Amino acid sequence: MSTVTIAALMTGALMAQQTRSGSSEIVPGKFVDVTNAVGVHFIGQASHTAKKYLIETIGSGVALFDYDNDGRLDIFFANGAPLKDPTPPGTLLKKPGPKYWDRLYHQLPNGTFEDVTQKAGLEGTGYDMGVAVGDYDNDGYDDLYVTGVQGNHLYHNNGNGTFTDVTKQSGTGGSGWSTSAAWVDLNNDGLLDLVVLRYAKWDFDDVWCGEHRPGYRSYCLPTVFPEIRPIVYINDGNGHFTEESAKIGIDAPGHGLGIAIGDYDRDGHIDIAVANDSVPEALYHNKGNGTFEEVGLMSQMAVDGDGRAFAGMGITFQDYNNDGYPDLFISDLANQKYALFKNEKDGTFDYETDVSGVGTITLLHSGWGTKFFDYDNDGLKDLIVAQGHDMDNVQLTYPDLHYKEPMLLMRNIGGGKFVDVSKKSGAIFHEAWAGRGLAVGDLNNDGREDLVVTTNDGPAYVIMNETPTKNHWLELYLVGHKSNRDGIGAVIKLTTAKGSQWWTVSTAGSYLSSSDKRAHFGLGPETVAQTIEIDWPSGIHQVLHNVKADQILRVDEPVASTAK
């Protein structure tokens, strides 16, 4: 990659983009299913049984990352393993063959993908679920952490198209049932650490939930099983990690499913937000001395507007109203309404689900993978959600609810309001799936953010964003030197003549998944970013001036701060 510009690619100029300015006019996207055309043929194996083991309904995660540094995003999928019916407690789950392999798809110059799983050494061994991407040894190649039901795996990227399983020597295998994970530098030493969520203390317990009549047995709520604390691996800098969750204070037991990072109080220290299923959500405040304090209830993001816990699953942590403070969105189950928390800039959040329009839109839906992203490049972050209930027989007891649902696209129209534009945004939004994992990234480098979505016990989908717009954009590829090489945790402020917007660099968020690490900004009609200010995790403050739009720009961390 060039040290200045990777690509300068104009978006298609097909139609004028109406201004938002609080208008409720629906301006849809255009998203196209290209899965078969680009050669991706992944089917997640949940291995459903008559016993309805809870792991069967969780689903597969997906990662978008450029593992060979050729400037094109590649795709990794986590996959399950076969289950016996019944499966005795203590059974070691193994992948018996290619049907159950995790999969790595390499993107070719023509935009199609080739399956390089075996060549890369990423077949996997057990019942895998989540994936997190980060360059833990700062060698310039992104590594993979894959979570599962009976332990996790760290795969080191060798830089030659192959990966080595370094789980044992790195000390990152963990125990129990892990779900989402996040790479983040917790102690600002320039090395990425790892926070791993776990879901429950569980081992093929034969517990009957639901009515005792044919067809009505259901998956148990997680609250049937004991809560479990996260795992935190601190990077020792020599290829080894030390587990320090209790020592640093990221150790509240819960039913963790989604994790995201953001500096919610803008004190210069990155914080951790956790989507917990059916127990209060969690927010770990970074105290700046290497320790954290769980402040979910104090910050008013642990429960909904009525003070009730909800089934937190997917999570995204970015600034949707462009006020400089990251906000939270958490998906959950039908009849709960998805939770939108606006950052009040005083250490607390306000439950904005109802006043934003999100409540009315989502009341009867169940959501999993989710991200803030600007699909039409107008400078306001929209919301995408992969949907589907966890109970495959939910309609027997709740006729208005559905196991399989289309994805949901909510357009940010400004003024803190969102509208549902799904049905007018492409045929793909009319297909019902048991949606689970979701990753966002610019697959074809055209300045429009694309999607990859997984489904429970079903196929994955590659979805291209072909939204017609004259709006401009910028994508920033950060390279840390004193900070971690991925720039994870950096906060970017981009200012045009129309105002400012912010982005926290991260691969985490959504549900079991990992997204493009490049920071994407829609600029609307503006062709120049007057200033781009980057607060690196190291504390270095960098300023760029008069940056032209419609390019992917590599930005290297300088050796010292630039004056504001």
Side-chain angles (χ1 to χ4, degrees):
M1 292 183 180
S2 162
T3 58
V4 178
T5 302
I6 301 173
L9 303 166
M10 297 297 293
T11 56
L14 299 178
M15 62 178 282
Q17 170 68 43
Q18 292 91 335
T19 183
R20 292 192 179 181
S21 305
S23 168
S24 61
E25 182 178 6
I26 294 178
V27 181
K30 181 183 178 183
F31 290 82
V32 179
D33 179 5
V34 298
T35 312
N36 291 328
V38 300
V40 173
H41 307 291
F42 175 78
I43 298 179
Q45 303 297 327
S47 302
H48 290 180
T49 70
K51 292 291 185 180
K52 298 221 171 199
Y53 295 118
L54 194 53
I55 63 171
E56 301 169 20
T57 193
I58 298 300
S60 301
V62 55
L64 291 180
F65 73 125
D66 181 6
Y67 78 90
D68 58 347
N69 291 343
D70 64 359
R72 296 181 294 270
L73 291 177
D74 310 299
I75 307 174
F76 175 86
F77 297 102
N79 204 356
L83 305 177
K84 295 180 180 179
D85 196 355
T87 303
T91 299
L92 181 62
L93 301 178
K94 295 182 179 180
K95 298 182 188 292
K99 177 180 178 180
Y100 299 94
W101 285 354
D102 302 335
R103 292 283 172 178
L104 178 64
Y105 287 91
H106 173 243
Q107 186 175 174
L108 299 171
N110 65 0
T112 64
F113 291 81
E114 60 175 338
D115 188 333
V116 295
T117 306
Q118 275 188 291
K119 176 184 176 182
L122 290 174
E123 300 97 323
T125 58
Y127 199 116
D128 293 326
M129 288 193 170
V131 55
V133 173
D135 181 3
Y136 74 85
D137 57 351
N138 291 331
D139 67 353
Y141 291 90
D142 277 329
D143 310 296
L144 285 175
Y145 189 73
V146 180
T147 69
V149 175
Q150 296 174 334
N152 312 315
H153 292 270
L154 177 60
Y155 296 98
H156 177 256
N157 187 336
N158 300 318
N160 61 1
T162 69
F163 290 76
T164 299
D165 187 336
V166 295
T167 308
K168 185 174 181 180
Q169 55 264 48
S170 67
T172 57
S175 62
W177 174 359
S178 298
T179 52
S180 292
W183 289 104
V184 56
D185 185 357
L186 297 173
N187 52 12
N188 282 347
D189 64 354
L191 298 171
L192 289 177
D193 309 301
L194 188 60
V195 182
V196 185
L197 300 186
R198 293 190 290 180
Y199 191 53
K201 295 179 181 178
W202 179 93
D203 185 12
F204 293 104
D205 306 271
D206 190 4
V207 180
W208 186 293
C209 294
E211 297 182 44
H212 282 268
R213 53 176 171 147
Y216 279 76
R217 184 170 184 168
S218 65
Y219 294 103
C220 294
L221 294 174
T223 49
V224 171
F225 307 102
E227 298 174 25
I228 191 168
R229 64 167 178 80
I231 303 171
V232 178
Y233 293 112
I234 299 299
N235 192 336
D236 298 331
N238 56 5
H240 184 268
F241 293 74
T242 301
E243 205 291 309
E244 295 188 359
S245 56
K247 179 178 179 180
I248 70 172
I250 302 180
D251 61 348
H255 295 297
L257 284 180
I259 186 168
I261 69 171
D263 181 6
Y264 78 95
D265 56 352
R266 297 301 307 275
D267 65 354
H269 305 291
I270 208 73
D271 309 300
I272 311 291
V274 173
N276 272 321
D277 187 356
S278 303
V279 296
E281 316 305 296
L283 180 63
Y284 291 97
H285 177 244
N286 188 336
K287 299 198 295 189
N289 60 1
T291 67
F292 291 75
E293 179 184 10
E294 203 290 297
V295 296
L297 284 171
M298 291 172 54
S299 66
Q300 300 176 37
M301 57 73 66
V303 293
D304 67 16
D306 295 320
R308 297 173 299 193
F310 51 88
M313 295 186 288
I315 187 169
T316 182
F317 201 177
Q318 296 287 354
D319 176 15
Y320 76 88
N321 57 356
N322 292 340
D323 67 354
Y325 286 74
D327 311 291
L328 283 165
F329 177 82
I330 305 175
S331 59
D332 53 29
L333 287 180
N335 291 326
Q336 295 181 336
K337 298 181 291 190
Y338 301 166
L340 179 65
F341 293 101
K342 184 182 75 172
N343 194 323
E344 291 296 295
K345 309 185 210 177
D346 60 359
T348 69
F349 293 82
D350 191 31
Y351 183 76
E352 295 282 297
T353 293
D354 295 316
V355 299
S356 65
V358 169
T360 301
I361 296 169
T362 66
L363 177 61
L364 297 180
H365 296 301
S366 300
W368 303 75
T370 183
K371 292 291 282 187
F372 280 120
F373 80 131
D374 186 356
Y375 74 84
D376 59 352
N377 286 333
D378 71 343
L380 290 173
K381 297 175 186 67
D382 313 296
L383 279 164
I384 184 73
V385 189
Q387 299 191 128
H389 209 278
D390 63 335
M391 304 291 185
D392 55 3
N393 55 2
V394 67
Q395 286 180 258
L396 292 178
T397 48
Y398 297 96
D400 292 336
L401 305 184
H402 303 279
Y403 174 57
K404 294 185 176 182
E405 297 186 58
M407 289 188 301
L408 174 65
L409 179 63
M410 290 185 286
R411 186 172 189 267
N412 184 342
I413 62 171
K417 306 293 184 182
F418 289 82
V419 295
D420 184 352
V421 297
S422 308
K423 292 182 179 179
K424 294 186 178 182
S425 294
I428 197 74
F429 287 93
H430 295 262
E431 296 185 20
W433 310 330
R436 294 296 187 266
L438 178 148
V440 173
D442 186 357
L443 285 168
N444 57 356
N445 292 335
D446 71 345
R448 290 172 289 191
E449 294 185 279
D450 311 299
L451 313 170
V452 180
V453 179
T454 66
T455 65
N456 182 255
D457 215 41
Y461 295 88
V462 180
I463 304 162
M464 299 303 294
N465 181 353
E466 298 180 1
T467 302
T469 178
K470 288 184 178 179
N471 288 332
H472 300 282
W473 54 275
L474 266 174
E475 289 174 6
L476 303 181
Y477 177 93
L478 267 56
V479 178
H481 295 285
K482 185 176 181 181
S483 301
N484 68 86
R485 188 172 177 87
D486 288 323
I488 288 175
V491 177
I492 304 171
K493 177 185 179 182
L494 182 147
T495 301
T496 68
K498 297 294 184 181
S500 300
Q501 51 184 297
W502 287 257
W503 186 262
T504 303
V505 176
S506 175
T507 61
S510 189
Y511 172 81
L512 302 179
S513 298
S514 187
S515 290
D516 188 353
K517 66 183 177 184
R518 296 175 295 184
H520 181 100
F521 293 91
L523 305 186
E526 302 302 312
T527 59
V528 174
Q530 296 174 334
T531 59
I532 297 174
E533 300 178 55
I534 305 171
D535 287 312
W536 292 85
S538 63
I540 290 174
H541 181 81
Q542 183 177 12
V543 184
L544 308 177
H545 296 278
N546 298 320
V547 179
K548 291 182 179 180
D550 305 318
Q551 63 171 316
I552 301 170
L553 182 69
R554 169 170 168 156
V555 182
D556 282 84
E557 182 181 21
V559 295
S561 290
T562 347
K564 292 188 178 182

